[in-house]
Amino acid sequence: MYRAEEENARPPLLNLLIMVTLLTIVVSLYYLIDYYLVRDGSNGKVTWFAPNQSCELSHAPCSAELGRFGRITLALDGDISPLTPLGIRVITEDVAPEGVEVDFIGRHMDMGVKRSLLTTRDAPTQARQHWSGEGQLGFCSSATMAWRAQVIVTTERGRLGSWFDFDSHPPASTAEQLESSVNQLFTREIHIVHKLARACDENCG
């Protein structure tokens, strides 16, 4: 009874200060957890940051913000088509990465993971670093293949990454060869069906 009367006797200002203090503690804990637990590189996971704008990677370099941990820019050099050597360039800003890799995966079809490890000659302390390497897209029978380039940056705080979508188109020679092979296979199957039909007519008659 006495405790309830004591709590009711608290000034409203004191109650407000208590609520503000508790709220401050909760917000501080949130930022501390977010700041320190983002280092999930110890268990191999990647903290993903969605790209902040639409970009056609086959026409121009694309950039993404890694939250408050920096920025990355990806560029592809060469013919973006299957089984063709593809130059990969990544620029990191305010990240200080220990390593950079780019994974190519199919957006709508499981093509496995085509991984490329990049290298740099820049000093580790530089705020802006240039990473480069070479990759290759897998072959697909479709005329157009939807790909996703995942850029993963390994830092002392963990593995951070973002992604960029693009489409690849097979060279004209590859497309023509594929079309010719399909037509030959279709013609052969039709010929076999007709031959079996004639044999059946002769034996059944």
Side-chain angles (χ1 to χ4, degrees):
M1 183 68 181
Y2 175 78
R3 188 179 185 87
E5 290 177 354
E6 183 182 4
E7 291 179 354
N8 292 333
R10 286 178 181 172
L13 181 58
L14 179 58
N15 291 332
L16 178 61
L17 289 176
I18 292 175
M19 293 298 298
V20 171
T21 302
L22 291 175
L23 181 61
T24 303
I25 293 174
V26 170
V27 172
S28 299
L29 286 175
Y30 169 79
Y31 279 104
L32 284 174
I33 292 173
D34 180 64
Y35 187 76
Y36 286 104
L37 293 189
V38 74
R39 59 173 73 203
D40 53 2
S42 59
N43 55 21
K45 293 183 179 179
V46 179
T47 301
W48 294 104
F49 298 88
N52 52 11
Q53 61 181 357
S54 59
C55 178
E56 184 56 49
L57 190 58
S58 58
H59 297 130
C62 295
S63 301
E65 304 287 343
L66 300 180
R68 61 180 176 280
F69 300 103
R71 177 184 176 90
I72 57 172
T73 301
L74 172 65
L76 301 180
D77 301 324
D79 186 13
I80 303 180
S81 58
L83 306 180
T84 302
L86 192 62
I88 305 172
R89 292 182 291 114
V90 172
I91 297 176
T92 62
E93 300 176 71
D94 302 321
V95 181
E98 300 172 355
V100 176
E101 65 187 60
V102 177
D103 296 343
F104 295 111
I105 63 173
R107 296 206 310 268
H108 309 308
M109 183 183 300
D110 185 7
M111 300 291 293
V113 178
K114 303 294 183 180
R115 176 164 298 171
S116 300
L117 301 178
L118 309 188
T119 59
T120 182
R121 296 182 179 178
D122 295 332
T125 56
Q126 283 186 230
R128 180 183 174 93
Q129 297 185 24
H130 297 75
W131 296 73
S132 61
E134 190 173 274
Q136 190 178 79
L137 302 178
F139 178 76
C140 178
S141 59
S142 302
T144 300
M145 177 64 190
W147 291 93
R148 171 165 291 178
Q150 297 178 332
V151 182
I152 302 173
V153 180
T154 301
T155 73
E156 62 178 5
R157 303 204 57 76
R159 288 160 57 82
L160 315 175
S162 188
W163 65 89
F164 308 99
D165 294 339
F166 66 100
D167 296 333
S168 69
H169 306 277
S173 58
T174 303
E176 292 172 357
Q177 292 176 3
L178 179 62
E179 183 179 2
S180 176
S181 299
V182 172
N183 289 336
Q184 291 178 6
L185 179 62
F186 182 75
T187 302
R188 186 177 63 181
E189 294 296 332
I190 292 296
H191 177 72
I192 293 175
V193 170
H194 288 167
K195 187 175 181 180
L196 291 175
R198 286 197 301 270
C200 180
D201 292 339
E202 292 174 359
N203 293 331
C204 295

